[in-house]
Amino acid sequence: MSRRIGRPIDAGPRLLVRIVLLFGLMAMLPLSHAAGETASLPDPRQMKFEPVTFTPPDVERLVLDNGLVVFLLEDHELPLVTVSAMMRTGSWLDPAEKTGLAGLTGNLMRTGGSAKMSAKQVDEELERIAAGISFSIGEESGSATLDVLKKDLRTGLRIFADLLRTPAFESERVELAKLQAIEGIRRRQDQPGSIAAREFAKLMYGPTHPYARESTVESVTKITRDDLAEFHRRTIHPNGLIVGVSGDFDKQELLALLRETFGDWAKGDVPTLTLPPVQPASTNQSKMLVHYVGKETSQAHLRAGSLTIKETHPDYPALAIVNDILGGSGFRSRLFKDVRTNRGLAYSVGSRLQANVYEQGLWYMRAETKLASAQEVIGRFVDHVERMRREPVTAEELEEAKESFVNSFVFSFASSASIVARQVDLEYDGLPKDWLQQLRDKVVKLTKEDLLRAAQTHLHPERLKVLAVGSPAALSKALAGFGDVREIKLPPEG
């Protein structure tokens, strides 16, 4: 699913709610009923509940004179304030020879001090007021968060703004961060699951695409303090910043404080997010593309999937429910029931739909299984995709998946901070503020025919790309029946 709504919750939370309601009913019954006399208690399996409905509170949107967008939501339950920010930057701007620059910049904006305070002073002051600040820069955006007590909001916001506007990138902290990044690269091949995730992304998007490319010892070594300062100067501007504030504050006092800390920050040229095109999948592909990474391990880590639609595609709601029924819903999914419960082939198995608004999404099935079972598990993957394309889901599967999706909508707004964060997210992506409500309403209207059409349109077994990580001798034989098998040799990380 998209980064705005996580995987629909499983039956567990709903079951807990029903148990609580059942005990409530028991408490209301006469003692004779509780003692087991003639009248019987309601069967919880037959109990019916009204659909969960929830209308998120409105979040106020304001724009400062320098273009900085602000979202506000007061919540006076606790004397806490959360300030979050999204920055129009990202690792998609990394020069090829210095891949990792954006990530290091985000890291050191927090740890490298500011023009007004040394890194040590920042750490000590945040510890004194029990506040937390974090920064990071990912593929498509940068993010920053401040959590602070109401009484220390002015102090916390001043430090937050200093780090955001004028990071110092202290040389010692830069060298330390580079050494830590290089050590992480050298340990990158220790975990077969991580290898599977990285190499699968490369198969899908290409090794040089921002969604798949990796930093190397060489690229990180080349990065200098001046590179970090220039990346910050070039990409982070107030008119490319969206700030969300939630918690215990007075609106007028907060606005005055925001103008005091950010108001004199001049506008700049904000980069427009532009990703390189992905080579479209061939519609003439007659066999799956099969790859493996040789690593001596007792299990095979499997992934099989393809590029798919964006979150804004009309078929996204239907495909999200298809994925939920197939393997995205944990214990009640088809893959889990078949591969784990009935056949005992894997402890961990499922599917995932990753969609966004900037590039084709990614859909895949995954499992960790014994080397001897790899062939059978991939065969089950294919069989279940074909079944999804061949016959409608059952009425019970459709109802459970829709109910789970709709119920999970509530948990997308679990706190005032999460409500504001989602509005910031939607603003960043240019989506309407009621996007999640629209998505929920579309899911409610889905039919079995809608799901069958989506599966037939977007799931194609012959176009799957398969990746396995495990013993090369075992995998080369196990995968041979699915297509031409190619080995991916990992470069030495040294």
Side-chain angles (χ1 to χ4, degrees):
M1 312 204 107
S2 76
R3 54 190 164 90
R4 274 170 284 278
I5 289 187
R7 179 180 60 78
I9 57 173
D10 202 357
R14 298 198 306 276
L15 180 60
L16 178 61
V17 171
R18 292 174 181 178
I19 291 173
V20 172
L21 290 174
L22 178 59
F23 275 102
L25 288 172
M26 291 177 63
M28 296 169 61
L29 291 172
L31 288 177
S32 59
H33 290 175
E37 295 184 2
T38 54
S40 61
L41 293 173
D43 185 343
R45 292 169 297 183
Q46 304 300 320
M47 296 173 70
K48 301 295 182 182
F49 300 89
E50 293 297 322
V52 174
T53 59
F54 173 71
T55 301
D58 288 331
V59 180
E60 186 172 4
R61 180 184 184 276
L62 302 165
V63 183
L64 303 187
D65 292 341
N66 58 4
L68 190 150
V69 178
V70 180
F71 286 95
L72 302 175
L73 180 60
E74 294 185 44
D75 180 356
H76 302 287
E77 183 176 3
L78 295 171
L80 303 172
V81 179
T82 296
V83 181
S84 61
M86 286 193 76
M87 302 168 274
R88 295 194 182 276
T89 182
S91 63
W92 66 275
L93 291 162
D94 279 357
E97 72 280 6
K98 294 183 179 179
T99 301
L101 174 60
L104 272 178
T105 302
N107 180 4
L108 284 153
M109 286 176 69
R110 164 59 187 89
T111 62
S114 74
K116 296 180 180 178
M117 300 177 70
S118 69
K120 182 179 179 181
Q121 288 173 328
V122 169
D123 293 340
E124 290 175 346
E125 185 67 1
L126 291 178
E127 183 177 1
R128 185 186 69 81
I129 64 174
I133 290 179
S134 63
F135 279 82
S136 66
I137 296 180
E139 296 157 352
E140 302 169 344
S141 65
S143 64
T145 303
L146 163 68
D147 290 299
V148 65
L149 292 169
K150 175 184 179 179
K151 68 182 182 64
D152 297 312
L153 177 58
R154 174 175 291 276
T155 300
L157 189 60
R158 174 180 54 80
I159 298 173
F160 182 75
D162 287 345
L163 295 174
L164 185 58
R165 296 181 56 175
T166 57
F169 301 114
E170 292 179 6
S171 297
E172 289 184 0
R173 295 294 182 105
V174 170
E175 292 307 311
L176 176 61
K178 289 173 62 175
L179 288 174
Q180 292 171 335
I182 289 171
E183 181 60 23
I185 292 170
R186 287 174 174 158
R187 298 171 62 94
R188 189 180 279 165
Q189 296 173 11
D190 292 348
Q191 299 297 326
S194 297
I195 294 172
R198 295 194 311 271
E199 296 303 320
F200 192 68
K202 293 177 187 177
L203 286 178
M204 295 294 107
Y205 292 104
T208 62
H209 193 278
Y211 287 178
R213 65 181 175 180
E214 297 177 322
S215 58
T216 64
V217 172
E218 182 181 11
S219 69
V220 172
T221 301
K222 290 180 179 178
I223 296 171
T224 67
R225 181 201 171 279
D226 290 343
D227 292 327
L228 301 170
E230 173 60 19
F231 187 90
H232 174 273
R233 184 200 64 77
R234 182 167 55 92
T235 70
I236 298 177
H237 309 286
N239 47 318
L241 198 66
I242 306 170
V243 172
V245 186
S246 60
D248 190 9
F249 61 85
D250 175 83
K251 174 184 171 182
Q252 297 306 320
E253 292 179 359
L254 177 67
L255 286 177
L257 186 56
L258 288 173
R259 291 189 175 98
E260 178 184 325
T261 51
F262 292 109
D264 61 344
W265 191 2
K267 291 183 179 182
D269 294 327
V270 179
T272 301
L273 179 53
T274 305
L275 297 172
V278 176
Q279 186 69 26
S282 173
T283 56
N284 298 321
Q285 183 179 323
S286 59
K287 285 186 177 182
M288 294 188 295
L289 299 179
V290 184
H291 297 76
Y292 74 91
V293 177
K295 185 174 180 65
E296 292 302 335
T297 157
S298 60
Q299 283 197 321
H301 292 253
L302 306 176
R303 294 203 174 203
S306 60
L307 293 178
T308 187
I309 57 179
K310 296 182 180 181
E311 188 181 353
T312 50
H313 192 286
D315 288 345
Y316 173 75
L319 193 60
I321 298 302
V322 166
N323 176 72
D324 181 76
I325 294 170
L326 176 61
S329 56
F331 293 106
R332 61 180 173 81
S333 72
R334 290 182 176 182
L335 284 176
F336 192 96
K337 289 178 180 178
D338 178 28
V339 176
R340 174 175 163 165
T341 305
N342 296 338
R343 299 174 185 268
L345 297 174
Y347 181 79
S348 176
V349 61
S351 65
R352 186 176 182 187
L353 176 63
Q354 297 175 211
N356 56 53
V357 301
Y358 300 105
E359 184 52 89
Q360 288 178 273
L362 180 61
W363 169 79
Y364 62 90
M365 299 167 285
R366 50 119 195 116
E368 289 82 50
T369 186
K370 300 185 297 294
L371 290 166
S373 305
Q375 184 178 33
E376 185 177 359
V377 171
I378 295 173
R380 300 311 302 159
F381 284 170
V382 174
D383 288 347
H384 280 286
V385 174
E386 290 177 340
R387 181 187 171 195
M388 272 290 185
R389 289 170 46 83
R390 185 176 63 248
E391 61 188 48
V393 301
T394 67
E396 182 180 6
E397 286 177 320
L398 176 62
E399 189 60 31
E400 282 188 346
K402 288 167 64 172
E403 180 184 357
S404 179
F405 191 101
V406 171
N407 287 348
S408 73
F409 175 81
V410 176
F411 294 93
S412 299
F413 304 91
S415 66
S416 57
S418 65
I419 293 171
V420 172
R422 291 185 185 280
Q423 287 303 315
V424 169
D425 193 30
L426 293 169
E427 172 89 8
Y428 189 90
D429 289 338
L431 297 173
K433 66 178 183 179
D434 64 341
W435 176 257
L436 297 185
Q437 292 92 317
Q438 292 182 28
L439 188 58
R440 175 193 59 186
D441 295 342
K442 291 174 182 177
V443 166
V444 170
K445 298 175 183 177
L446 289 172
T447 66
K448 292 186 288 184
E449 291 72 26
D450 293 329
L451 269 60
L452 183 62
R453 180 185 55 78
Q456 292 173 344
T457 303
H458 301 290
L459 303 185
H460 301 279
E462 73 281 0
R463 299 181 197 170
L464 290 174
K465 291 185 179 180
V466 177
L467 177 71
V469 178
S471 171
L475 290 180
S476 59
K477 295 180 181 179
L479 302 175
F482 297 103
D484 296 331
V485 182
R486 303 175 185 177
E487 182 180 5
I488 298 174
K489 293 186 178 296
L490 299 178
E493 299 290 2

